[in-house]
Amino acid sequence: MPVLRLPKFGLPVKYAYITGRVRAMKTKLIPAEMYPRMMSMELSEIARYLEETQYKDEIDALSKDYSGVELIEHATFANLAKTFRKLEEVSIDEPSFLILEYLRRWDVWNIKTILRGKFSGATDTDITKYLVPAGELSPEHLEELAKKDSINDIISAFDGTDYASALAQYDGNNLASLENALDKLYYFRMERAVGGTLSVGGGLLLKYVRREIDIKNLITLFRMNKAGVDGAIIQENLIPGGKLHDELSRMAGQPFGEFLRGLEGYPFWSSISDIATADLDAVSRIEARLKAYLIRYAWALSNYHPLSILPVLGYMVSKETEVSNIRKIVRGKEAGLPAELVEEQVVVA
Amino acid sequence: MAVVADAGTLYGLLAVGAGLATGLAGIGAGVGEQGIGAAVVGVVAEEPGFLGKGLFLMLLPETLIIFGLAVSLILMFAWTPFAGIVTP
């Protein structure tokens, strides 16, 4: 496990290339005003629109195998993987290390996808279609994993790696505890690799990740407090390591109204204050607002540290959000959901 | 009038000063340009159309060398304080 130990002097210059590049890449993201327009388009029109954007190569390459929703979904995923791999390849030293550390979340995502696929009895070609090889595990390795016969075979393939401890949680009948353990492991590893070093860049990455953990925990709290789940169970599901962890874990199991009053005054409150009321019908609306807050937070931080990992982070978060927005729109269209419902879920920072 | 030093030494010191003026300005410009250059190359890799603007931005610190060069030229050719000293 590599641990970051680099001197402080001369580092900002190493970020100049990659920040310049992501700032140029940011201009190619789909503008926020396109989402409402995409919602009024047909699926084929959306595919055509995406062909005029950065997704062109993927749409062209995959259009002979897929069509409609599948085409858009696979093309956006393939583009995401390509873009993130590119970021990792064109950066050096500290930026490269930190980007890879962030991208390990896609390894976790892929492991989860493979396990879920095997659990539900999907074929290996079906599983491979939904993999996003943006992290450290190579596409070939992931394909090999997907070809294994049983979940236990996959778990034993990770023997000796960091994932082994989390994968050992599998009890044979459900994946929830294992998935939770994988998430916790991801954040734990990042803290171990980046935390407590001399590096300024690593500190900034941790600062963002701590806020991200808080937001994730907050969403868990919203869901579980709303459903009236017992406090002890909620606390088990919270990811440790967030900046507000102690305060948030005290809120676990509180009655919903009291929980909302407790949130007032936190920095994220202003982005949800108008919809976070006791008669809130869908937590997903809160989720979309909080994710938008997180993107704004990343870009706002990057203004204070223009030559750091933060612009890259901001870009990666924006790109992930863009892909998930496109997926939400096309999946919503396919399922015939009303436009307002989809619009609420789309994250616009 | 007392002679402070011989003319050759004075002229030599003046030349060293002129060299430092241009040389240090050059180093400063280089330090300034390394970040800008790297960022410009990054942007141009994504947006080839940015090359013109990028080059312009990259050359901004270069103006500092002109100041240094101007001082050097003045020292070497226009300002000759020892003109009076060297006369016996």
Side-chain angles (χ1 to χ4, degrees), chain A residues 106 112 144 229 258 268 324:
Chain A
W106 290 101
K112 280 184 189 173
E144 243 172 64
V229 179
E258 198 183 313
F268 44 75
S324 82

Side-chain angles (χ1 to χ4, degrees), chain A residues 85 128 131 133 137-144:
Chain A
R85 271 188 180 269
T128 323
L131 297 176
L137 304 176
S138 67
E140 296 79 31
H141 185 197
L142 289 168
E143 244 169 75
E144 243 172 64

Side-chain angles (χ1 to χ4, degrees), chain A residues 13 16-17 20-21 24-25 27-28 86, chain B residues 34-35 38-39 41-43 45-47:
Chain A
V13 168
Y17 176 81
R21 195 150 179 173
M25 285 161 84
T27 61
K28 291 184 191 161
K86 181 175 92 180
Chain B
Q34 64 170 336
V41 172
V43 178
E46 291 297 323
E47 293 271 355

Side-chain angles (χ1 to χ4, degrees), chain A residues 164-175:
Chain A
S165 61
L167 292 170
Q169 306 255 336
Y170 180 59
D171 55 2
N173 14 344
N174 97 54
L175 290 172

Side-chain angles (χ1 to χ4, degrees), chain B residues 37-84:
Chain B
V40 166
V41 172
V43 178
V44 171
E46 291 297 323
E47 293 271 355
F50 189 76
L51 186 62
K53 269 187 203 167
L55 273 182
F56 171 73
L57 290 175
M58 210 184 101
L59 293 178
L60 277 184
E62 207 92 349
T63 52
L64 290 178
I65 304 184
I66 298 175
F67 291 122
L69 189 69
V71 170
S72 297
L73 293 176
I74 290 170
L75 284 177
M76 293 305 293
F77 302 113
W79 190 64
T80 49
F82 54 88

